[in-house]
């Protein structure tokens, strides 16, 4: 199960980096700006999963909860934001 989770996280980060490279390829930006931004994004793609794992392990030591509730809460917040954005677009 752990290896499947790692594969899914790696795949999602790869898709995110691919979409970023497509966006930069379509824009006519200077090469140095593309390189700097790509390096920063790759740095964040490296640091954020490690930071999230460490923070989650730290919080789990103090609070015993089921991760499914946090997942449901995050997905509900994302859904609310999506609905709010759709309402704003319809009003314009």
């Amino acid at each position: 199960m752990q290896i499947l989770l790692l594969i899914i996280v790696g795949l999602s980060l790869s898709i995110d980096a691919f979409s970023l490279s497509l966006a930069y390829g379509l824009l006519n930006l200077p090469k140095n700006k593309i390189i700097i931004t790509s390096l920063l994004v790759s740095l964040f793609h490296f640091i954020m999963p490690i930071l999230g794992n460490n923070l989650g392990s730290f919080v789990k030591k103090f609070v015993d909860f089921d991760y499914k509730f946090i997942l449901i809460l995050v997905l509900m917040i994302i859904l609310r934001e999506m609905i709010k954005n759709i309402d704003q677009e319809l009003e314009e």
Side-chain angles (χ1 to χ4, degrees), residues 8-90:
I8 291 172
V9 169
L11 183 64
S12 65
L13 290 174
S14 299
I15 291 171
D16 183 43
F18 178 71
S19 66
L20 181 71
S21 66
L22 279 177
Y24 282 145
L26 294 173
L27 298 173
N28 288 328
L29 296 175
K31 287 279 187 189
N32 60 350
K33 193 172 239 182
I34 292 173
I35 291 171
I36 290 171
T37 307
S38 297
L39 287 174
L40 285 174
V41 168
S42 64
L43 181 69
F44 278 110
H45 277 147
F46 178 75
I47 291 175
M48 288 303 171
I50 295 171
L51 185 66
N53 189 20
N54 290 339
L55 183 64
S57 298
F58 178 74
V59 169
K60 192 169 182 167
K61 288 179 185 176
F62 298 106
V63 180
D64 188 28
F65 56 85
D66 192 11
Y67 69 91
K68 292 177 186 174
F69 294 120
I70 301 295
L71 180 63
I72 290 170
L73 179 66
V74 168
L75 290 175
M76 288 176 68
I77 291 170
I78 291 171
L79 178 64
R80 186 190 70 160
E81 290 297 317
M82 287 175 62
I83 291 171
K84 190 167 66 172
N85 286 340
I86 289 172
D87 287 341
Q88 288 174 354
E89 287 180 11
L90 290 177

